[in-house]
Amino acid sequence: MHRHAGPDASPAAESGIAPSLNELIALRSLAHARGPARRGTSGLRAQAASTLRGRGMEYAESRGYAIGDDARHIDWRVTARTGRPHTKLFQAERERLTLLVADTSPALYFGTRVRFKSVQAARAGAIAAWRAVADGDRIAALRGSRSEPPVAAASGARGALRVLDALVRWYTRPAADDAGLEVSLDHARRLLRPGSRLLVLADPASVAAIPDQRWPALAAHHEVVVVLLTDPLEMHPPDDLLGFAAEASGGQEPRRVELDLADPDQRRRWQHEFPAQVASITGALAARGVRAVALSCDAPSDAWLAAAGAGRR
């Protein structure tokens, strides 16, 4: 069980039921332990190469000199070879946007080992936020809500802390106004710019409900990573009776439901509902240019980084 002692270490945070802000801040060292941020093609840290031509550091091309061009950028070699003055153009640079999309469906507020899937989602999001800071990206976040605005993009530790604060609020308890992952992707589409990095933290069932045609359009212009939150019980069910406490309804007493997973038919349906669904989603997203990785709630919270190729330029 993950333990964190701090001023806001509530019993829920200590038990892995809810994330704490101190817990997410402490993950900065874990994110940085993955190594230094990769350098962009410009050779400058903290900036991503743009497709625009401008006055960056990386040479892009030369063209004929025009009135108003900076004489310091005259390309003397091309000028000598062609007999006409030419000027160098450089790759313009700008900060890239890393956008976290947080699924807040009720299925995430569950866990049988170490922590809830919701807490693991918050921790994975925090690591992504700190990696974005290390890479010099602006960081923003949103969830599927028709009333709560996204966390506005900002760079540096200030931007990360605003996202971490939102993750704590979103993953402490199920949201009453959750509008679903598809709504959050609609919001994301309006914020993303070409070359952005999109990280989706979601329950597999939420991703399965998204129409397949949504993903290629996102992957065509952005680096898209989907982290599928899972629980060991879902992926490796026991071979005997599994009991559930069913909620009381209509004035009736709570009742206990037992599922016989030793029964071949029951076990087949379970496999179809959980492990097979995760494998199907992972393969389908890969075919559409989206990197998807399953992250169990009892796994190290940074386990998804290498598998997802996060940090790659």
Side-chain angles (χ1 to χ4, degrees):
M1 172 72 71
H2 172 80
R3 298 290 183 185
H4 174 74
D8 67 343
S10 64
E14 285 287 303
S15 62
I17 295 175
S20 74
L21 185 58
N22 279 356
E23 171 188 8
L24 302 189
I25 291 174
L27 290 170
R28 182 173 191 168
S29 59
L30 186 60
H32 288 183
R34 284 282 177 174
R38 296 189 179 190
R39 292 178 180 271
T41 54
S42 67
L44 285 181
R45 179 174 169 171
Q47 289 180 313
S50 164
T51 56
L52 303 175
R53 295 288 184 261
R55 296 302 185 188
M57 294 296 293
E58 184 185 18
Y59 173 78
E61 61 183 353
S62 294
R63 62 157 171 78
Y65 182 84
I67 296 176
D69 285 344
D70 192 333
R72 293 174 297 179
H73 296 304
I74 288 178
D75 189 333
W76 296 108
R77 287 189 178 181
V78 178
T79 297
R81 188 169 65 245
T82 62
R84 293 182 291 108
H86 278 69
T87 187
K88 294 178 181 176
L89 296 181
F90 298 84
Q91 195 77 31
E93 294 158 354
R94 55 173 168 72
E95 289 181 315
R96 181 174 55 180
L97 172 66
T98 290
L99 176 62
L100 302 188
V101 167
D103 177 25
T104 52
S105 65
L108 280 171
Y109 300 82
F110 160 80
T112 63
R113 309 270 179 83
V114 183
R115 58 181 72 91
F116 275 17
K117 294 196 291 184
S118 52
V119 176
Q120 185 72 306
R123 291 170 61 87
I127 289 172
W130 290 124
R131 286 299 307 167
V133 171
D135 289 347
D137 292 357
R138 292 179 299 128
I139 176 79
L142 59 84
R143 68 181 183 90
S145 170
R146 302 187 190 282
S147 57
E148 183 175 351
V151 178
S155 58
R158 182 174 64 94
L161 289 173
R162 288 162 57 173
V163 169
L164 266 53
D165 179 71
L167 291 173
V168 170
R169 287 190 284 106
W170 296 343
Y171 286 125
T172 292
R173 62 183 62 85
D177 64 342
D178 177 58
L181 183 60
E182 188 162 11
V183 169
S184 62
L185 292 178
D186 288 340
H187 295 331
R189 184 172 52 84
R190 290 190 282 272
L191 294 178
L192 293 167
R193 297 292 179 269
S196 298
R197 177 187 290 169
L198 172 64
L199 177 69
V200 180
L201 307 163
D203 187 87
S206 299
V207 177
I210 301 297
D212 289 344
Q213 61 268 27
R214 291 293 305 265
W215 299 107
L218 288 169
H221 302 288
H222 317 291
E223 179 184 330
V224 185
V225 175
V226 176
V227 177
L228 303 166
L229 284 308
T230 66
D231 182 85
L233 179 64
E234 297 171 337
M235 305 303 285
H236 308 287
D239 295 329
D240 49 15
L241 290 175
L242 183 62
F244 296 92
E247 291 185 1
S249 62
Q252 298 180 341
E253 292 293 323
R255 60 193 178 89
R256 181 176 175 81
V257 176
E258 290 186 336
L259 193 60
D260 183 8
L261 290 172
D263 179 81
D265 289 339
Q266 295 275 21
R267 195 167 189 84
R268 192 161 40 248
R269 284 197 287 272
W270 185 286
Q271 295 285 345
H272 175 75
E273 187 68 21
F274 296 108
Q277 184 185 59
V278 171
S280 175
I281 292 171
T282 303
L285 290 181
R288 291 165 175 77
V290 174
R291 290 197 296 277
V293 57
L295 179 63
S296 178
C297 60
D298 64 342
S301 299
D302 63 342
W304 63 276
L305 277 174
R312 189 181 67 178
R313 293 287 191 189

